[in-house]
């Protein structure tokens, strides 16, 4: 599967064991105390994630999928576990994090999450973004891995009714991914996950990048 056609691709051996171990070593205590299953603004809370997310290697990887210079949009560290085992219905990631609210056509509605401004941008912004879901553990059906609908990113920003209709008419692909691999995807690709039937640690570092230039002096958060 290629990102241009299907909206996703799985890259094995994307991350070194040493970098994964440094992230887990720094963040795991806070993850275990987290009730919501994930930590937003992870690049601002953990040095190891900041170093990886802003590294020349990571930015170069992002730019290979974008039309220009890559900038980090946001970083989230997820942990699906026996204590925090959840499901996510079919959806698109269609909000972005920015430094300040601004007025521009097609932007909104606006909200604040963990003190950071978020908004739904125009489709052209989502099309100039790429997401890396870096697996810090093996991800499989037993522990609630991601499912995607190939090509759904090409259908634009969808309503809930459209999402429901596409889900019923499509065959989902289950992303069983080994530790250290990365699922590279467009944010508005339809994706979902089920609860783990035999839940174990399923830690995933979610990094979003964009080459879109923001208006009004705003920066990507």
């Amino acid at each position: 599967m290629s990102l241009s056609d299907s909206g996703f691709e799985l890259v094995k051996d994307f991350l070194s064991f040493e970098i994964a171990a440094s992230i887990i070593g720094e963040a795991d205590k806070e993850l275990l105390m987290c009730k919501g299953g994930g930590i937003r603004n992870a690049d601002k809370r953990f040095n190891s994630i900041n170093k990886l997310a802003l590294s020349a290697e990571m930015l170069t990887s992002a730019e290979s999928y974008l039309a220009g210079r890559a900038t980090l949009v946001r970083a989230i560290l997820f942990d699906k576990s026996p204590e925090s085992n959840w499901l996510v219905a079919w959806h698109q990631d269609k909000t972005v994090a920015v430094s300040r609210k601004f007025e521009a056509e097609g932007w909104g509605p606006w909200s604040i999450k963990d003190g950071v401004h978020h908004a739904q941008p125009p489709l052209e912004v989502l099309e100039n973004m790429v997401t890396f879901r870096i697996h810090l553990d093996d991800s499989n059906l037993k522990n609630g891995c991601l499912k995607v609908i190939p090509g759904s990113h090409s259908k634009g920003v969808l309503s809930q009714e459209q999402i429901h209709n596409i889900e019923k008419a499509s065959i989902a692909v289950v992303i069983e991914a080994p530790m250290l691999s990365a699922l590279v995807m467009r944010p508005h690709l339809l994706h979902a996950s089920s609860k783990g039937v035999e839940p174990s640690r399923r830690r995933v570092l979610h990094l979003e990048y964009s080459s879109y230039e923001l208006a009004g002096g705003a920066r990507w958060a």
Side-chain angles (χ1 to χ4, degrees):
M1 297 287 185
S2 68
L3 187 132
S4 58
D5 296 328
S6 299
F8 73 97
E9 64 182 36
L10 184 65
V11 181
K12 295 184 178 180
D13 298 319
F14 182 84
L15 193 68
S16 72
F17 179 82
E18 290 75 17
I19 293 175
S22 70
I23 292 172
I24 291 171
E26 183 183 9
D28 209 40
K29 183 177 179 180
E30 190 167 338
L31 274 177
L32 289 170
M33 296 172 61
C34 178
K35 301 296 184 182
I39 298 175
R40 294 181 180 275
N41 307 316
D43 58 309
K44 298 175 177 64
R45 298 172 71 164
F46 305 111
N47 290 332
S48 55
I49 292 177
N50 183 275
K51 183 178 179 180
L52 171 64
L54 299 180
S55 67
E57 294 81 4
M58 198 69 228
L59 293 171
T60 298
S61 293
E63 286 166 4
S64 69
Y65 298 98
L66 298 172
R69 182 181 177 185
T71 302
L72 179 68
V73 175
R74 63 180 167 183
I76 307 172
L77 185 58
F78 293 111
D79 185 11
K80 187 179 287 188
S81 67
E83 295 75 28
S84 184
N85 184 18
W86 72 88
L87 63 83
V88 180
W90 287 103
H91 69 286
Q92 298 172 298
D93 291 340
K94 51 188 180 184
T95 61
V96 295
V98 296
S99 62
R100 57 183 289 270
K101 186 176 180 179
F102 56 87
E103 296 295 329
E105 185 176 355
W107 286 77
W110 288 84
S111 62
I112 295 180
K113 301 176 183 177
D114 290 347
V116 178
H117 290 281
H118 286 70
Q120 181 173 320
L123 177 61
E124 64 177 309
V125 177
L126 299 175
E127 292 175 337
N128 278 282
M129 291 180 63
V130 64
T131 298
F132 294 81
R133 289 177 55 90
I134 302 172
H135 302 93
L136 304 179
D137 301 288
D138 290 338
S139 185
N140 50 53
L141 277 172
K142 290 183 178 180
N143 64 12
C145 65
L146 210 68
K147 302 174 287 186
V148 302
I149 296 180
S152 54
H153 68 299
S154 65
K155 301 181 185 299
V157 176
L158 303 168
S159 68
Q160 283 303 122
E161 182 179 2
Q162 289 173 319
I163 290 173
H164 177 74
N165 291 337
I166 291 171
E167 173 202 349
K168 294 300 181 185
S170 304
I171 298 175
V173 173
V174 175
I175 307 297
E176 293 199 292
M179 178 183 178
L180 307 180
S181 67
L183 175 65
V184 188
M185 57 184 280
R186 296 299 182 199
H188 54 306
L189 179 77
L190 281 175
H191 56 286
S193 68
S194 302
K195 284 187 175 182
V197 294
E198 295 180 16
S200 59
R201 302 296 295 280
R202 193 217 65 171
R203 291 164 292 194
V204 174
L205 176 59
H206 175 110
L207 300 177
E208 296 175 1
Y209 295 87
S210 176
S211 60
Y212 186 86
E213 294 290 333
L214 293 172
R219 295 175 288 103
W220 293 112

